[in-house]
Amino acid sequence: MRAGLVSSTTSRDMSLHSAGWREVSRAAPVFAALGDETRLALVARLSSEGPLSITRLAAGSPVTRQAITKHLNVLATAGLVSDLWRGRERIWELELEQMEAARTYLERVSKRWDAALDRLKQLVEE
């Protein structure tokens, strides 16, 4: 900060900023994982069809089972899916907690944009 300027940032603002970064850091891996078309399609299938094996997920897909496994592992790292073994099959299912956290984050961003656009509208209409 240059000499003579006073910072208007309060400790409350800083704690809100830190809380915002925590939200971003929690949501970022979710959005990164969903940024791939194949992974997004896998999430859509698991969402509509429920828990599925790799074999069922690969059926009718141009993507190999090995590639699907790699995509599912990325989704698992982001906390979006989990697996369990049923006999010799690995069954994958959605984990809704991370999806809910991402949805909540997007709602907050949307509200901030709505408020900013309302302020801009008021300024333009004055």
Side-chain angles (χ1 to χ4, degrees):
M1 181 169 24
R2 292 181 297 186
L5 294 178
V6 178
S7 173
S8 63
T9 303
T10 64
S11 60
R12 179 182 173 276
D13 293 334
M14 290 178 74
S15 66
L16 288 175
H17 182 70
S18 296
W21 278 111
R22 279 192 297 274
E23 280 183 309
V24 170
S25 66
R26 184 169 183 206
V30 173
F31 296 123
L34 293 175
D36 179 87
E37 184 179 325
T38 301
R39 290 192 287 268
L40 191 56
L42 290 170
V43 168
R45 283 213 42 212
L46 291 170
S47 176
S48 65
E49 298 178 36
L52 295 170
S53 67
I54 299 281
T55 303
R56 294 230 9 234
L57 285 167
S61 173
V63 181
T64 66
R65 289 186 341 181
Q66 292 81 7
I68 287 177
T69 300
K70 288 181 181 183
H71 284 293
L72 288 166
N73 285 327
V74 170
L75 291 168
T77 300
L80 293 169
V81 297
S82 62
D83 66 324
L84 59 109
W85 288 93
R86 284 195 194 142
R88 293 177 54 193
E89 282 194 306
R90 193 172 178 187
I91 306 296
W92 292 88
E93 63 185 344
L94 282 180
E95 289 294 332
L96 299 179
E97 183 179 331
Q98 281 296 85
M99 293 290 276
E100 181 64 25
R103 186 188 64 76
T104 300
Y105 173 75
L106 286 177
E107 284 178 357
R108 288 187 181 142
V109 169
S110 177
K111 287 177 185 177
R112 285 186 223 140
W113 272 103
D114 289 345
L117 291 172
D118 286 343
R119 289 190 306 272
L120 178 61
K121 181 180 176 187
Q122 289 174 357
L123 181 67
V124 169
E125 290 175 349
E126 287 179 359

